[in-house]
Amino acid sequence: MQAVCVSESKSVTYTQYVCATIRTEAGGVSRQAERSDATRAKLVRAARELFAKRGYADVGTEEIVRRARVTRGALYHHFEDKRDLFRAVHEQIEGEVTDRIGAALGDAGSEDPVEALRTAARTFLDACTEPEIARITLLDAPSVLGWAEWRRIDEKYGLGLTIAGLNMGMEAGRLRRRPVRPLAHLLLAAMGEAGMVIANAEDPNAARAEVEPAILSLLDGLEKR
């Protein structure tokens, strides 16, 4: 997974932090490992397509292995069960959304940490309007994985970025000093709830337009005047 880096300033910016969290995979692997990885990728791809189209409950493992053109044994070699496979799909999407935020920050090219937080929020809200992301990560994931695990994964990908953005905003004098970790949890929860509103709406794009000002107002309220 290629990182997106654009800033060459000596100070660490929010864009650079996000860049650093997007891993670059390297190193040689054996042919057997490559075949194993390819089989796993086929299963994840097939499951993702089916989960996005019909939802977790209406997709069986037999259909997944047929679509992936692998055996049931291959599925259970790589995953404990359908739920474990769903978790892999969900985490793949979460990682892609993080990559998308990194790319958006790179394209924006802003050194202002508050504007970077706004860009990250807008990019996340845009992603929530996409049917695949809405269905898998926002509608099915909380019930399939359970709220606690769903929140843990959400925090794995989003909490560090949120904490970094808040810390950098405070250090730059753009945000008022506040305890960072609880504030980050609250902002992340607000973003998750905004995503739920969008995913459950009859018109996701209209809902996205309605929730953006509310989310950005939370950031505005933290600015040092």
Side-chain angles (χ1 to χ4, degrees), residues 19-20 25 60 62 114 125:
C19 173
E25 296 177 359
E62 285 289 353
V114 176
L125 296 177

Side-chain angles (χ1 to χ4, degrees), residues 27-187:
V29 294
S30 68
R31 289 186 179 180
Q32 182 177 354
E34 287 178 347
R35 286 195 296 271
S36 180
D37 289 346
T39 299
R40 188 182 190 280
K42 287 179 182 178
L43 286 162
V44 171
R45 182 168 57 250
R48 180 170 173 169
E49 291 169 356
L50 292 168
F51 292 152
K53 185 177 181 180
R54 297 209 311 276
Y56 177 84
D58 291 335
V59 175
T61 55
E62 285 289 353
E63 186 176 6
I64 293 170
V65 297
R66 275 200 310 272
R67 192 180 191 93
R69 296 185 177 181
V70 301
T71 65
R72 283 180 63 84
L75 189 154
Y76 291 110
H77 172 74
H78 289 280
F79 303 99
E80 292 181 6
D81 49 25
K82 188 175 78 164
R83 181 176 177 274
D84 191 33
L85 175 55
F86 178 87
R87 183 189 298 107
V89 171
H90 173 55
E91 290 218 40
Q92 182 183 71
I93 293 174
E94 288 277 6
E96 289 173 1
V97 172
T98 300
D99 289 353
R100 194 180 303 185
I101 290 170
L105 290 169
D107 291 341
S110 175
E111 297 295 325
D112 180 0
V114 176
E115 188 55 40
L117 284 169
R118 292 192 186 105
T119 297
R122 292 189 186 103
T123 304
F124 173 78
L125 296 177
D126 287 342
C128 293
T129 65
E130 298 176 16
E132 178 189 53
I133 292 175
R135 162 74 82 170
I136 294 173
T137 69
L138 296 169
L139 298 180
D140 279 353
S143 59
V144 174
L145 301 176
W147 187 87
E149 185 170 6
W150 177 67
R151 286 292 297 152
R152 180 189 62 76
I153 294 171
D154 192 38
E155 290 173 2
K156 173 182 174 182
Y157 289 92
L159 186 61
L161 301 184
T162 307
I163 288 174
L166 292 172
N167 271 327
M168 292 171 192
M170 292 176 192
E171 290 169 5
R174 295 282 285 111
L175 299 177
R176 287 177 289 174
R177 288 282 179 182
R178 292 287 186 273
V180 172
R181 182 167 287 272
L183 185 56
H185 276 286
L186 291 172
L187 286 176

Side-chain angles (χ1 to χ4, degrees), residues 7-29:
S7 176
E8 295 181 357
S9 63
K10 291 183 179 179
S11 61
V12 177
T13 66
Y14 186 57
T15 301
Q16 289 173 311
Y17 178 86
V18 174
C19 173
T21 68
I22 301 173
R23 295 173 301 163
T24 301
E25 296 177 359
V29 294

